[in-house]
Amino acid sequence: MDPDVATWNSILSAYARNSSVNFPADPGLLDEHTSSSLEVLNLFSRMQKSLVGPNEVTLVALITACAELGALSQGIWAHVYIVKNRLTLNHFIGTALITLYANSGCLGFARQLFYQLPYTDIFCFNAMIRGLAIHGCGGEALDLFEIMKEEGFAPDDVTILAVMCACSHAGLVDEGRKYFDSMASIYRLEPKLEHYCCLVDLLGRAGLVKEAEERILTMPMRPNGVLWRSLLGAARVHGDLEIGEVAVKKLLELEPETSGNNVLLSNMYSCMKRWDDAKRLRELMKERGVHKTPGSSLVEVDGAMHEFLIGDKSHPHTRDIYVKLEEMNTKLQEYGHRARSRDMLFDIEEEEKEDALSYHSERLAIAFALIATDSYTC
């Protein structure tokens, strides 16, 4: 017997739930979530071929996966499908679409949709506050939080996380501390690891590295790798080598095989021109068989996902990509941009460092996106 829409929805929803990532997320878990999101898109394609029509539940799962992947064009297709087929734009779909547009940088669309929804619940508010937070609109996010309370919605732990994120991105340290402390004192919510991660990020961004360390050491649960990595990142930015080394020691106990922890410490040594220490750490990584996993960047063009590694030359449009990349680099230099080469691991010449950074996976992805945009425009 062929699956009906209810069967498809059960499978799609299960994958979609696994694809949802709260912030701040552990980078080590992102591959699993991305894989689940891609599976949702693949299953939906098979569902379409089976001639079973989607309903509101199907589209919530699809849009959720698109939001996780940043697959904007496919998410827009789902939105258009809802409008054309006069499906109910309920608060479940609304929440998913707000998240999609916010994740994809279309904050204006997210705002417009939020204020047009016939009914909003705490999930809609959480999605909109989060969207404002990640785009640096801290004041607007806090204003919306106050409106939410005025409308009678009690904040949950996700709301507080979004509000703290808004404070972190806007540099509102005192407000962030206040909201964190209000969880237990006002809302009777127990802070989770995610809230401590956000608090450490807030303090670290503000240069309060010592206070961030103290918060970690006095928290009621065992700190995880995300917390120590956040502290390490703050210590690196603000040049606190002593706390950075403490964080690395804890990370190596928790995640001995994770190369990124060693890389961050090596970056700190390089920033301080402690080349011998950086070299010693690289040699230790080799002895332990720890290899740096290359980062990759994904970009969606015309519904297809394209992945790039640093210095990647495997793409069919490699020649055009590198021509565009040289054009980008020339224009950046004309506007006075200088590559942030102080974090490079090796004691090499400045020009070599800038060359390495020029072929970073993110720049390759941007170059390809610009080429594709140019072709569509023409």
Side-chain angles (χ1 to χ4, degrees):
M1 188 172 99
D2 293 332
D4 59 9
V5 67
T7 304
W8 280 111
N9 286 346
S10 297
I11 302 171
L12 287 165
S13 297
Y15 277 106
R17 281 193 296 272
N18 193 46
S19 73
S20 299
V21 180
N22 284 327
F23 57 92
D26 186 344
L29 300 177
L30 293 180
D31 287 344
E32 178 185 343
H33 293 292
T34 300
S35 176
S36 296
S37 299
L38 289 170
E39 189 60 31
V40 171
L41 267 58
N42 291 332
L43 285 168
F44 181 73
S45 177
R46 288 170 55 187
M47 178 181 175
Q48 286 181 298
K49 291 175 183 176
S50 73
L51 303 181
V52 175
N55 61 15
E56 288 88 349
V57 176
T58 318
L59 293 163
V60 168
L62 175 64
I63 296 166
T64 299
C66 291
E68 171 60 28
L69 291 169
L72 180 60
S73 64
Q74 287 163 289
I76 290 174
W77 177 90
H79 193 174
V80 171
Y81 183 92
I82 292 165
V83 174
K84 278 189 173 182
N85 291 275
R86 298 184 179 181
L87 298 179
T88 304
L89 187 60
N90 56 39
H91 51 287
F92 298 111
I93 292 177
T95 298
L97 283 170
I98 290 166
T99 304
L100 166 74
Y101 289 130
N103 285 4
S104 304
C106 303
L107 188 59
F109 287 156
R111 276 198 197 95
Q112 183 179 353
L113 182 65
F114 176 79
Y115 289 109
Q116 286 180 350
L117 287 175
Y119 170 76
T120 53
D121 61 4
I122 190 170
F123 301 106
C124 298
F125 274 102
N126 287 349
M128 193 65 237
I129 293 171
R130 175 188 176 276
L132 293 166
I134 62 177
H135 288 283
C137 302
E140 189 178 349
L142 299 186
D143 289 343
L144 188 59
F145 175 60
E146 294 302 321
I147 292 172
M148 186 194 87
K149 290 190 294 181
E150 289 172 5
E151 293 190 9
F153 294 106
D156 60 12
D157 57 342
V158 176
T159 316
I160 301 298
L161 190 62
V163 170
M164 289 183 63
C165 178
C167 293
S168 181
H169 283 273
L172 303 172
V173 180
D174 291 337
E175 290 85 347
R177 285 198 197 99
K178 181 189 74 174
Y179 289 120
F180 178 84
D181 294 335
S182 72
M183 289 189 71
S185 63
I186 298 177
Y187 303 114
R188 301 188 182 281
L189 298 170
E190 195 70 29
K192 298 179 180 178
L193 273 170
E194 292 87 351
H195 299 95
Y196 280 97
C197 286
C198 208
L199 180 63
V200 169
D201 179 66
L202 170 78
L203 297 170
R205 286 172 183 261
L208 302 172
V209 184
K210 186 63 179 176
E211 183 181 344
E213 181 189 31
E214 289 170 357
R215 289 280 191 164
I216 292 176
L217 295 175
T218 57
M219 59 190 287
M221 70 279 286
R222 186 186 181 193
N224 64 1
V226 181
L227 275 160
W228 289 116
R229 198 173 296 111
S230 180
L231 182 66
L232 175 57
R236 179 182 63 83
V237 170
H238 297 286
D240 195 324
L241 186 59
E242 181 180 350
I243 291 180
E245 288 179 323
V246 170
V248 167
K249 182 179 178 182
K250 295 293 185 181
L251 280 166
L252 292 178
E253 291 173 4
L254 291 169
E255 307 169 349
E257 303 303 320
T258 302
S259 63
N261 303 326
N262 295 277
V263 170
L264 279 171
L265 180 59
S266 186
N267 284 351
M268 287 186 68
Y269 287 140
S270 298
C271 287
M272 303 179 73
K273 299 189 183 301
R274 291 174 56 172
W275 307 118
D276 290 340
D277 289 325
K279 182 179 179 182
R280 174 180 55 80
L281 188 58
R282 292 199 305 273
E283 291 173 350
L284 186 62
M285 288 173 64
K286 288 181 182 178
E287 289 174 10
R288 293 176 175 173
V290 178
H291 301 286
K292 183 180 183 299
T293 304
S296 64
S297 296
L298 283 170
V299 62
E300 181 208 2
V301 173
D302 196 25
M305 303 300 291
H306 299 259
E307 183 177 21
F308 295 90
L309 301 173
I310 185 170
D312 202 334
K313 294 187 177 180
S314 62
H315 196 277
H317 297 285
T318 289
R319 180 176 295 180
D320 294 334
I321 290 170
Y322 276 82
V323 169
K324 175 61 74 173
L325 195 59
E326 291 303 320
E327 179 186 323
M328 288 165 53
N329 292 336
T330 300
K331 288 185 177 180
L332 285 169
Q333 289 174 3
E334 288 175 357
Y335 282 94
H337 171 75
R338 294 281 296 174
R340 185 179 175 181
S341 57
R342 68 184 183 91
D343 287 349
M344 294 294 287
L345 282 173
F346 305 106
D347 185 12
I348 59 177
E349 294 299 320
E350 196 71 20
E351 186 176 346
E352 293 178 76
K353 294 179 186 179
E354 291 193 14
D355 284 345
L357 290 170
S358 295
Y359 302 115
H360 193 278
S361 62
E362 289 180 358
R363 289 202 180 191
L364 293 171
I366 291 170
F368 174 66
L370 290 173
I371 291 169
T373 303
D374 289 344
S375 67
Y376 295 148
T377 304
C378 295

